[in-house]
Amino acid sequence: MIELDLRRLRFLREFAERGTLAAVATALGYSPSTVSQQLALLEKDVGARLFDKAGRGLRLTDAGRLLAQHAGVLLSAAEAATADLAALGGDIRGTVRAGGLQSAARRLLIPAVARMKSDHPRVRVEIFEWELEQSLPGLRLGTVDLVIGDEYDGHPRPARPVCASPACSKSR
């Protein structure tokens, strides 16, 4: 029987989205060496090659892509279970991660956070100043909960869905 480590699956899912060990390391706050070691251990855990060399980098094998898709489902289920257990006890807590441009954070995020903190004091909020292009991968992966972006007449951003989940397509 294969035992899957959720932290290692998170590394794999991030790699599938970001494409490099360095990008995964930056996003998750680890060194590239740690990311590499954890992904090597995941390969051992599952008994399959998940990566092929691609020049100086890596790319996912078919097995790697398949496991990365399942990782997204498993990570979402684990987060939902954690939230449900906390809500069952009437204790709303956790971390909300939001990002956007500085002007948007000042005008929209700060007032919303202030209201939420008064209603739910045990919820931790992290606000990041990010350009839209930096924050969308995190939104797709579920490591960021809210992103506020901008678009100007004459400079539209390309339309790209940020969520592949069937639940998201219903809300669009």
Side-chain angles (χ1 to χ4, degrees):
M1 180 169 123
I2 297 173
E3 290 190 33
L4 298 172
D5 180 303
L6 290 178
R7 187 172 60 118
R8 291 179 188 151
L9 288 175
R10 184 170 309 283
F11 288 140
L12 178 66
R13 180 75 176 105
E14 288 280 342
F15 182 87
E17 178 66 31
R18 299 179 189 278
T20 68
L21 296 177
V24 173
T26 299
L28 297 180
Y30 291 93
S31 71
S33 175
T34 298
V35 172
S36 178
Q37 290 169 7
Q38 292 300 308
L39 291 173
L41 289 170
L42 180 61
E43 280 186 321
K44 281 185 180 180
D45 291 346
V46 300
R49 197 175 80 244
L50 303 175
F51 302 92
D52 282 329
K53 294 271 187 197
R56 294 188 317 182
L58 298 172
R59 73 169 173 243
L60 290 172
T61 63
D62 289 341
R65 280 189 294 279
L66 178 67
L67 187 56
Q69 288 174 348
H70 285 291
V73 173
L74 293 169
L75 292 166
S76 292
E79 290 168 9
T82 301
D84 288 347
L85 285 170
L88 186 63
D91 187 19
I92 298 176
R93 66 169 79 190
T95 302
V96 175
R97 293 172 189 90
L101 299 173
Q102 182 180 26
S103 58
R106 279 193 187 143
R107 183 147 176 99
L108 300 171
L109 288 177
I110 303 296
V113 167
R115 282 191 306 272
M116 189 182 70
K117 290 298 280 182
S118 69
D119 293 341
H120 307 289
R122 298 190 70 167
V123 173
R124 181 171 175 238
V125 180
E126 296 175 2
I127 298 177
F128 303 95
E129 183 180 336
W130 280 328
E131 292 292 328
L132 188 62
E133 291 77 14
Q134 294 172 298
S135 57
L136 285 180
L139 186 63
R140 281 191 293 275
L141 291 167
T143 57
V144 175
D145 302 301
L146 174 70
V147 172
I148 297 177
D150 62 353
E151 183 176 75
Y152 297 97
D153 291 337
H155 297 287
R157 296 191 186 273
R160 179 177 181 198
V162 294
C163 179
S165 163
C168 293
S169 62
K170 289 179 188 172
S171 64
R172 278 191 231 146

Coordinates of all heavy atoms in Angstrom, one line a residue, residues 124-158:
R124 N -6.6 34.4 11.1 CA -5.4 35.1 10.8 C -5.5 35.5 9.4 O -5.9 34.7 8.5 CB -4.2 34.2 11.0 CG -2.9 34.9 10.8 CD -1.7 33.9 11.2 NE -0.5 34.5 10.8 CZ 0.4 34.0 10.0 NH1 0.2 32.7 9.6 NH2 1.5 34.6 9.7
V125 N -5.1 36.8 9.1 CA -5.1 37.3 7.7 C -3.7 37.7 7.3 O -3.0 38.4 8.0 CB -6.1 38.5 7.6 CG1 -6.1 39.0 6.2 CG2 -7.5 38.1 8.1
E126 N -3.4 37.2 6.1 CA -2.1 37.6 5.5 C -2.4 38.3 4.2 O -3.1 37.8 3.3 CB -1.2 36.4 5.2 CG -0.8 35.6 6.4 CD -0.1 34.3 6.0 OE1 0.1 34.0 4.8 OE2 0.3 33.6 7.0
I127 N -1.9 39.5 4.1 CA -2.1 40.3 2.9 C -0.8 40.5 2.2 O 0.2 40.9 2.8 CB -2.8 41.7 3.2 CG1 -4.1 41.5 3.8 CG2 -2.9 42.6 2.0 CD1 -4.8 42.8 4.3
F128 N -0.8 40.3 0.9 CA 0.4 40.4 0.1 C 0.2 41.4 -1.0 O -0.8 41.5 -1.6 CB 0.8 39.1 -0.6 CG 0.9 37.9 0.4 CD1 -0.1 37.1 0.7 CD2 2.1 37.7 1.0 CE1 0.0 36.0 1.6 CE2 2.3 36.7 1.9 CZ 1.2 35.8 2.2
E129 N 1.3 42.2 -1.3 CA 1.3 43.1 -2.4 C 1.9 42.4 -3.6 O 3.0 42.1 -3.6 CB 2.1 44.4 -2.1 CG 2.0 45.4 -3.2 CD 2.8 46.6 -2.9 OE1 3.1 46.9 -1.7 OE2 3.2 47.3 -3.9
W130 N 1.0 42.1 -4.5 CA 1.4 41.3 -5.7 C 0.8 41.9 -7.0 O -0.3 42.4 -7.0 CB 0.9 39.9 -5.6 CG 1.6 38.9 -4.8 CD1 3.0 38.9 -4.5 CD2 1.1 37.8 -4.1 NE1 3.3 37.9 -3.7 CE2 2.1 37.2 -3.4 CE3 -0.2 37.3 -3.9 CZ2 1.9 36.1 -2.6 CZ3 -0.4 36.2 -3.2 CH2 0.6 35.6 -2.5
E131 N 1.5 41.7 -8.0 CA 1.0 41.9 -9.3 C 0.1 40.7 -9.6 O 0.3 39.6 -9.1 CB 2.1 42.0 -10.4 CG 2.9 43.3 -10.3 CD 2.2 44.5 -10.6 OE1 1.2 44.5 -11.5 OE2 2.5 45.6 -10.0
L132 N -0.9 40.9 -10.5 CA -1.8 39.8 -10.8 C -1.1 38.6 -11.3 O -1.4 37.4 -10.9 CB -2.8 40.3 -11.8 CG -4.0 39.4 -12.2 CD1 -4.8 39.1 -10.9 CD2 -4.8 39.9 -13.3
E133 N -0.1 38.7 -12.2 CA 0.6 37.6 -12.7 C 1.3 36.8 -11.7 O 1.5 35.6 -11.8 CB 1.6 38.1 -13.8 CG 0.9 38.6 -15.1 CD 0.4 40.0 -14.9 OE1 0.7 40.7 -13.9 OE2 -0.4 40.4 -15.8
Q134 N 1.7 37.4 -10.6 CA 2.4 36.7 -9.5 C 1.4 35.9 -8.6 O 1.8 34.9 -8.1 CB 3.2 37.7 -8.6 CG 4.3 38.4 -9.2 CD 4.8 39.5 -8.3 OE1 4.1 40.4 -8.0 NE2 6.1 39.4 -7.9
S135 N 0.2 36.4 -8.5 CA -0.7 35.9 -7.6 C -1.6 34.8 -8.1 O -2.1 33.9 -7.4 CB -1.5 37.0 -6.9 OG -2.2 37.7 -7.9
L136 N -1.9 34.8 -9.4 CA -2.8 33.8 -10.0 C -2.4 32.4 -9.8 O -3.2 31.5 -9.6 CB -3.0 34.1 -11.5 CG -4.0 35.3 -11.7 CD1 -4.1 35.6 -13.2 CD2 -5.3 35.2 -11.0
P137 N -1.1 32.0 -10.0 CA -0.8 30.6 -9.7 C -1.1 30.2 -8.3 O -1.7 29.1 -8.1 CB 0.8 30.6 -9.9 CG 1.0 31.7 -10.9 CD 0.1 32.8 -10.5
G138 N -0.9 31.0 -7.3 CA -1.3 30.7 -6.0 C -2.8 30.5 -5.8 O -3.3 29.7 -5.1
L139 N -3.6 31.3 -6.5 CA -5.0 31.2 -6.5 C -5.5 29.9 -7.1 O -6.3 29.2 -6.5 CB -5.7 32.4 -7.2 CG -7.2 32.5 -7.2 CD1 -7.7 32.8 -5.7 CD2 -7.7 33.7 -8.1
R140 N -4.9 29.6 -8.2 CA -5.2 28.3 -8.9 C -4.9 27.1 -8.0 O -5.6 26.1 -8.0 CB -4.5 28.1 -10.2 CG -5.2 28.9 -11.3 CD -4.6 28.5 -12.7 NE -3.2 28.9 -12.8 CZ -2.8 30.1 -13.2 NH1 -3.7 31.1 -13.5 NH2 -1.5 30.4 -13.3
L141 N -3.8 27.2 -7.2 CA -3.4 26.1 -6.4 C -4.0 26.1 -5.0 O -3.9 25.2 -4.2 CB -1.9 26.2 -6.2 CG -1.0 25.9 -7.4 CD1 0.4 26.3 -7.2 CD2 -1.1 24.4 -7.8
G142 N -4.7 27.2 -4.7 CA -5.4 27.2 -3.4 C -4.5 27.7 -2.2 O -4.9 27.6 -1.1
T143 N -3.3 28.2 -2.6 CA -2.4 28.7 -1.5 C -2.7 30.2 -1.2 O -2.2 30.8 -0.3 CB -1.0 28.5 -1.9 OG1 -0.7 29.2 -3.1 CG2 -0.6 27.1 -2.0
V144 N -3.5 30.8 -2.1 CA -4.0 32.2 -1.9 C -5.5 32.1 -2.0 O -6.0 31.4 -2.9 CB -3.4 33.1 -3.0 CG1 -4.0 34.5 -2.9 CG2 -1.9 33.2 -2.9
D145 N -6.2 32.8 -1.2 CA -7.7 32.7 -1.1 C -8.4 33.8 -2.0 O -9.5 33.6 -2.4 CB -8.2 32.8 0.3 CG -7.6 31.6 1.1 OD1 -7.8 30.5 0.8 OD2 -6.9 32.0 2.1
L146 N -7.8 34.9 -2.1 CA -8.4 36.1 -2.7 C -7.3 36.9 -3.4 O -6.3 37.2 -2.8 CB -9.1 36.9 -1.7 CG -9.7 38.2 -2.2 CD1 -10.9 38.0 -3.1 CD2 -10.1 39.1 -1.1
V147 N -7.6 37.3 -4.7 CA -6.7 38.1 -5.4 C -7.5 39.3 -6.0 O -8.6 39.1 -6.6 CB -6.0 37.4 -6.6 CG1 -5.2 38.3 -7.5 CG2 -5.1 36.3 -6.0
I148 N -7.0 40.5 -5.9 CA -7.7 41.6 -6.4 C -6.7 42.2 -7.5 O -5.6 42.5 -7.3 CB -8.0 42.7 -5.4 CG1 -8.9 42.2 -4.4 CG2 -8.5 44.0 -6.1 CD1 -9.3 43.1 -3.3
G149 N -7.2 42.2 -8.7 CA -6.4 42.7 -9.9 C -7.0 43.9 -10.5 O -8.0 44.5 -10.0
D150 N -6.4 44.3 -11.6 CA -6.9 45.5 -12.3 C -6.9 45.2 -13.8 O -6.2 44.3 -14.3 CB -6.1 46.7 -11.9 CG -4.7 46.6 -12.3 OD1 -4.2 45.5 -12.8 OD2 -3.9 47.6 -12.2
E151 N -7.6 46.1 -14.5 CA -7.6 46.0 -16.0 C -8.0 47.4 -16.5 O -8.8 48.0 -15.9 CB -8.6 45.0 -16.5 CG -8.6 44.8 -18.0 CD -9.5 43.7 -18.4 OE1 -10.7 43.9 -18.4 OE2 -9.0 42.6 -18.7
Y152 N -7.3 47.9 -17.5 CA -7.5 49.2 -18.0 C -8.0 49.1 -19.4 O -7.6 48.2 -20.2 CB -6.2 50.0 -18.0 CG -5.7 50.3 -16.6 CD1 -4.7 49.4 -16.1 CD2 -6.2 51.3 -15.8 CE1 -4.2 49.6 -14.8 CE2 -5.7 51.5 -14.5 CZ -4.7 50.6 -14.0 OH -4.3 50.8 -12.7
D153 N -8.8 50.1 -19.8 CA -9.2 50.2 -21.2 C -8.0 50.3 -22.1 O -7.1 51.0 -21.8 CB -10.1 51.4 -21.4 CG -11.5 51.3 -20.8 OD1 -11.9 50.2 -20.5 OD2 -12.1 52.4 -20.5
G154 N -8.0 49.5 -23.1 CA -6.8 49.5 -24.0 C -5.7 48.6 -23.6 O -4.8 48.3 -24.4
H155 N -5.8 48.1 -22.4 CA -4.8 47.1 -21.9 C -5.4 46.0 -21.2 O -5.2 45.7 -20.0 CB -3.8 47.8 -21.0 CG -3.0 48.9 -21.6 ND1 -2.0 48.7 -22.5 CD2 -3.1 50.3 -21.5 CE1 -1.5 49.8 -22.9 NE2 -2.2 50.8 -22.3
P156 N -6.3 45.3 -21.9 CA -7.0 44.2 -21.2 C -6.1 43.0 -20.9 O -5.1 42.8 -21.7 CB -8.1 43.8 -22.2 CG -7.6 44.1 -23.5 CD -6.7 45.4 -23.3
R157 N -6.3 42.3 -19.8 CA -5.6 41.1 -19.5 C -6.2 40.0 -20.3 O -7.4 39.9 -20.4 CB -5.6 40.9 -18.0 CG -4.9 42.0 -17.2 CD -4.8 41.5 -15.8 NE -4.3 42.6 -15.0 CZ -3.0 42.8 -14.8 NH1 -2.1 42.1 -15.4 NH2 -2.6 43.8 -14.0
P158 N -5.4 39.0 -20.7 CA -5.9 37.9 -21.4 C -6.9 37.1 -20.5 O -6.5 36.9 -19.3 CB -4.7 37.0 -21.8 CG -3.6 37.6 -21.1 CD -4.0 39.0 -20.6

